[in-house]
Amino acid sequence: MANLVYKRVSTDQQSTARQNLVLDEAGIEDPVVFEEDPGTSSRLHPLQRPKFRALLDYARPGDTVHISEMFRLVRGTGHILDVLDVLHRDQVALRIHDGAFSAMDLTARHPRTGELLSTVKFMVQTLAAAGELQRDLQRELTYDGLRAAEAKGSKGGRRPAVPADKTADVRTAYLEGRSIAALARDHCVSRGAVRTAVADLLPDHAATEEDSPAPELPVTLDMPGKVADFLRAAELDDVERAALDQGVSVRRGQGYTLRVSAVPAVHLGLLARCQPLDGGHDVPVVPAQRKARREYENRVSALTPAGP
């Protein structure tokens, strides 16, 4: 009887680090791993994904499929019921090692009819619907939080490049002697963005000029688990998502922290994304979540240099 491990990430900027951690802790013996190509969308039905199809072709009666969390395999109620039907037909068990489904035997069938137990079907449908609702609500809260942050003059994510209609003005000002730092302030962009706009005008020794600061280095911060759980279901850009996926979970009593290594700009972007945890817009505040966000805010704030 083989142990078949299935892994998937949604973008080519993500990694399977967290999945590896959960599955390694499960102590699976002699795993046979099937990993989708990076960027395999959860919207694609599992039965149409190349590696999951290969897993099903490889599987034999009595084998067990192992996944870290349910959403690595399925997106909604219809998908999971389709997969369970196929696994039952092939007499293959399913084991989920983290999340709401981890304590359930999803392959339990009625001894006479052979149909999925009504209680299991009900729980699957309820938990899947609740998961979709949670993702939708957190997405809405994230958008509200970003709008609130922007209203205060803060904006997460990467700093913008020099707009195309301003590039000529930037180049002209640079040739007239305006410094890169001053141009970055004038146009509200990073110095790197200005350098990109004037790259062909820079002297060979530009890298040694005072206007050329050393590149930002990754900084490792412990992100409270409640913040990490919220961000995993939020809309993030590729760099932010990769930073989360590559984070290392550290157990803390009954909870955990996620040790995230990223440049300060990414930490600032992640902090802006979890603004909804502070409440607002008629959203009730969960004290533990608000406290967790403020702990992360304090750690991120320590990275922000004082203004000139």
Side-chain angles (χ1 to χ4, degrees), residues 13-298:
Q13 299 297 316
Q14 297 175 342
S15 78
T16 57
R18 184 172 184 276
Q19 297 175 64
N20 295 340
L21 177 64
V22 171
L23 295 167
D24 288 346
E25 290 178 344
I28 301 169
E29 295 183 0
D30 301 322
V32 181
V33 179
F34 294 83
E35 184 174 336
E36 298 287 357
D37 291 338
T40 302
S41 172
S42 60
R43 292 183 174 85
L44 182 64
H45 197 294
L47 300 180
Q48 297 175 347
R49 298 177 197 156
K51 293 300 181 181
F52 191 66
R53 288 299 315 167
L55 181 152
L56 293 175
D57 292 339
Y58 182 92
R60 296 294 180 268
D63 290 351
T64 301
V65 176
H66 298 266
I67 56 176
S68 57
E69 302 111 337
M70 176 60 80
F71 67 84
R72 297 297 179 184
L73 177 60
V74 298
R75 182 178 179 87
T77 308
H79 287 188
I80 188 173
L81 294 178
D82 290 343
V83 169
L84 291 178
D85 282 342
V86 171
L87 294 179
H88 173 68
R89 180 198 66 193
D90 296 343
Q91 301 178 45
V92 175
L94 174 64
R95 178 70 191 278
I96 302 166
H97 292 276
D98 197 15
F101 292 96
S102 59
M104 296 177 58
D105 179 6
L106 299 181
T107 56
R109 299 275 169 164
H110 193 282
R112 290 186 293 277
T113 66
E115 295 180 352
L116 193 67
L117 286 178
S118 57
T119 52
V120 173
K121 186 174 182 179
F122 172 77
M123 289 300 298
V124 166
Q125 291 173 329
T126 302
L127 289 173
E132 291 177 3
L133 175 61
Q134 179 187 31
R135 287 194 298 272
D136 290 342
L137 288 175
Q138 289 180 334
R139 187 178 299 113
E140 292 171 5
L141 290 173
T142 298
Y143 290 150
D144 289 343
L146 289 174
R147 284 197 296 270
E150 289 174 359
K152 296 178 181 178
S154 174
K155 186 175 182 181
R158 301 174 185 173
R159 298 190 70 180
V162 176
D165 60 346
K166 298 293 184 181
T167 300
D169 293 341
V170 168
R171 291 169 63 84
T172 300
Y174 177 76
L175 290 173
E176 292 174 350
R178 191 76 169 156
S179 71
I180 288 177
L183 288 169
R185 288 194 299 270
D186 293 345
H187 294 275
C188 299
V189 297
S190 67
R191 296 180 183 185
V194 174
R195 274 191 213 90
T196 299
V198 300
D200 59 320
L201 305 178
L202 294 172
D204 293 339
H205 62 279
T208 63
E209 293 181 346
E210 291 184 359
D211 277 342
S212 301
E216 285 188 316
L217 297 177
V219 177
T220 301
L221 294 181
D222 282 353
M223 176 187 293
K226 293 184 184 300
V227 173
D229 291 341
F230 175 82
L231 290 173
R232 284 194 178 101
E235 291 291 332
L236 306 179
D237 65 26
D238 292 341
V239 175
E240 293 167 342
R241 181 67 64 185
L244 276 189
D245 284 348
Q246 292 167 9
V248 177
S249 294
V250 180
R251 298 296 175 186
R252 303 288 188 192
Q254 296 182 346
Y256 76 101
T257 60
L258 187 68
R259 192 153 290 165
V260 178
S261 294
V263 297
V266 172
H267 282 295
L268 286 168
L270 291 171
L271 178 62
R273 303 285 190 187
C274 62
Q275 178 70 34
L277 295 180
D278 274 348
H281 297 278
D282 298 324
V283 177
V285 174
V286 179
Q289 291 181 333
R290 180 170 60 183
K291 178 181 178 182
R293 182 194 178 278
R294 291 184 177 176
E295 287 179 6
Y296 183 51
E297 182 177 27
N298 290 337

